[in-house]
Amino acid sequence: MYKTLMLLGVLLVAISCSKESKEKIDVSKIDVTVKIDRFEQKFYNSNLETLPELKEKYPYLFPEQNADSVWIQKINDIEERELYQKSQELFNDFEEEKKQLEDLFKHIKYYHPNFKEPKILTLITNLDYQSKVMYVDSLLFISLDMYLGRNNEVYHDFPKYLSQNYDRSHLKVDIAEAISSKFFIKGNSRQFIDLIIDEGKKMYMLDTYLPFVSDAEKIGYSKENIIWVTNNETEIWKYFVEKKLLYSTDTDLTTRFILNAPFSKFYIDVDKESPGRVGVWLGWQIVRAYMKNNHVTLQQLLETPAEIIFKHSKYKPKK
C-alpha cells in the first residue's frame, strides 16, 4: 500500500510539474551562437614550452603572481589529471550540452532581447564546488569536474544534498541560474515574505528559461523531496503564519529556510524528513500564483515589489 501511494505521489507531482512549467513559446526563429572553448584540453596537454602561448591567449586565467612552475605542477598533478580524464570520458564532444545551451540561450533572448551569448570556457577546478559555473562579463566558465555524476567516487566526501546535483543533467540549470542573476532585480526589504518571494522570482525565471525541465531539477530536489513539499505545502504555510515569521526580519530565517542545507529547520520532529530551502520552494509557488492570476510579463514581474506580488497573488496552499 505504501509503495502504491508513493508511486501515485510521483505521478501526480510529475503531471503537476508538467502543467506548470511548460509554457509554449516559439523560439525557432531566434538566432543564437554557442561558442565553446575546451580550455581544459589545451591546459592539460600543454608543457613548459607551450605554456607561454597559452598564458598569452588566456591572461585572465593565469594570475601574474604564479610562476610557471605552479602551472606545470597542476598539469602533472595526479588527482587533477584523474579529474581531467574522467571529464573527457563523460564530456567527449560536448554536443549534447551545446544543443541544450542553444535552446537555453534562445529562451533567454526571447525574454531579454538584448542578451548577448557569452563565450563558454570549460575548465577543471579541482572540485571547487563554489565555482561550478561562473558568469563574468562576456564569459561563462564551467567546471566540468563538478558534473561527473552524483554517485561518482570523487564526491564521496561531499554531503548528499550537495552531491545529488553534481550531475551532467544539472549543468543547464546552473548555467541558467548564473545568467539569470544578470537580469534579477533584488528587493530592499528584509522581511521573510519578501525574501522568499525574491527567491520565487529567481525560480520563475528558470521556469521561463527551461520550460521542459522538471521542478525537481530546477530546485535541485530529489523526487522524494518534491513529493514531501507538495504534500506538506499547507503545513509549511501554516507554520510560517502561526509562528508569525512572514514579516519577521530575523536573519536566522535565511539559514533555516532559504540557504542550501540538508533539511529545513522548523525545530520540530519532522525536520529531518524535510528538504532544505522550503522557503524558496514556497516563494516559488506564490510567484507562480501571481503570474497565473495577473497578466504581466517576466520583466514586469521582476520590477514588481514583493509586497505587491504577495497581495495580488491570491495564493492559497494546495490541500
Side-chain angles (χ1 to χ4, degrees):
M1 176 64 74
Y2 176 73
K3 290 183 178 179
T4 302
L5 290 174
M6 282 294 290
L7 178 59
L8 180 60
V10 170
L11 292 173
L12 290 174
V13 170
I15 293 170
S16 174
C17 294
S18 175
K19 287 182 178 179
E20 290 180 340
S21 301
K22 296 185 179 180
E23 181 182 354
K24 295 180 180 179
I25 60 172
D26 183 8
V27 298
S28 61
K29 296 181 179 180
I30 297 178
D31 292 325
V32 297
T33 301
V34 179
K35 295 180 179 179
I36 299 172
D37 188 344
R38 300 298 297 270
F39 172 80
E40 87 285 357
Q41 294 177 348
K42 298 173 184 178
F43 181 75
Y44 287 98
N45 286 293
S46 63
N47 53 45
L48 192 58
E49 293 181 358
T50 60
L51 187 61
E53 183 181 346
L54 201 62
K55 289 172 65 178
E56 184 177 354
K57 187 175 181 180
Y58 303 94
Y60 45 85
L61 292 176
F62 294 92
E64 292 183 2
Q65 65 268 25
N66 289 352
D68 287 356
S69 58
V70 173
W71 305 117
I72 296 300
Q73 184 177 357
K74 282 180 64 66
I75 291 169
N76 296 319
D77 184 88
I78 295 176
E79 292 183 357
E80 288 204 28
R81 293 206 68 85
E82 180 184 359
L83 293 174
Y84 169 68
Q85 186 59 42
K86 286 178 177 290
S87 72
Q88 300 312 292
E89 292 171 0
L90 184 62
F91 298 101
N92 183 21
D93 57 15
F94 218 69
E95 284 303 311
E96 180 181 341
E97 283 68 32
K98 187 173 182 179
K99 291 177 182 178
Q100 292 175 355
L101 289 174
E102 182 176 317
D103 186 68
L104 170 62
F105 287 174
K106 285 184 176 183
H107 279 84
I108 294 175
K109 186 167 277 193
Y110 176 90
Y111 291 102
H112 310 286
N114 294 326
F115 169 68
K116 302 294 183 183
E117 307 93 279
K119 178 182 177 181
I120 297 163
L121 282 88
T122 54
L123 313 165
I124 300 298
T125 59
N126 201 17
L127 302 183
D128 183 358
Y129 68 96
Q130 294 182 316
S131 303
K132 293 165 66 183
V133 171
M134 294 184 64
Y135 181 45
V136 183
D137 297 326
S138 60
L139 299 174
L140 183 76
F141 301 97
I142 300 174
S143 300
L144 294 183
D145 50 322
M146 292 309 304
Y147 297 95
L148 299 178
R150 58 179 61 90
N151 296 320
N152 197 293
E153 60 185 11
V154 299
Y155 305 133
H156 72 273
D157 288 333
F158 288 85
K160 187 177 180 180
Y161 78 96
L162 292 178
S163 63
Q164 69 182 2
N165 293 313
Y166 297 166
D167 197 83
R168 184 177 190 174
S169 64
H170 202 69
L171 178 55
K172 57 185 175 291
V173 177
D174 286 341
I175 292 173
E177 187 175 1
I179 294 175
S180 72
S181 63
K182 177 179 179 179
F183 303 103
F184 177 69
I185 302 171
K186 187 177 181 180
N188 295 321
S189 174
R190 296 293 88 202
Q191 293 182 144
F192 183 58
I193 184 62
D194 296 336
L195 295 179
I196 66 172
I197 288 178
D198 270 359
E199 295 298 323
K201 285 183 180 181
K202 296 177 186 177
M203 294 305 304
Y204 191 82
M205 293 174 79
L206 298 187
D207 281 342
T208 61
Y209 298 166
L210 299 167
F212 298 102
V213 171
S214 71
D215 285 2
E217 285 182 286
K218 280 180 284 194
I219 197 170
Y221 278 178
S222 65
K223 290 181 180 179
E224 291 74 21
N225 291 157
I226 284 288
I227 292 171
W228 193 94
V229 291
T230 301
N231 290 343
N232 289 279
E233 182 175 353
T234 299
E235 295 305 314
I236 296 170
W237 180 248
K238 186 177 178 181
Y239 179 90
F240 288 166
V241 172
E242 291 183 349
K243 297 294 183 179
K244 299 180 179 179
L245 302 183
L246 296 182
Y247 298 100
S248 171
T249 58
D250 184 355
T251 56
D252 189 44
L253 295 175
T254 297
T255 303
R256 293 171 60 189
F257 301 114
I258 294 178
L259 296 182
N260 213 348
F263 54 85
S264 296
K265 299 176 179 65
F266 297 93
Y267 300 138
I268 53 179
D269 292 341
V270 76
D271 277 12
K272 291 189 177 180
E273 297 176 18
S274 71
R277 306 176 73 213
V278 297
V280 176
W281 186 84
L282 196 66
W284 190 11
Q285 309 317 307
I286 294 172
V287 171
R288 279 178 166 176
Y290 175 77
M291 295 302 287
K292 181 179 179 181
N293 294 311
N294 298 271
H295 298 290
V296 297
T297 65
L298 176 62
Q299 187 59 40
Q300 288 171 329
L301 168 70
L302 297 177
E303 295 172 355
T304 303
E307 60 186 60
I308 294 177
I309 291 174
F310 182 44
K311 181 178 179 181
H312 295 280
S313 67
K314 301 178 184 177
Y315 169 73
K316 290 183 180 180
K318 297 172 184 176
K319 297 181 179 180

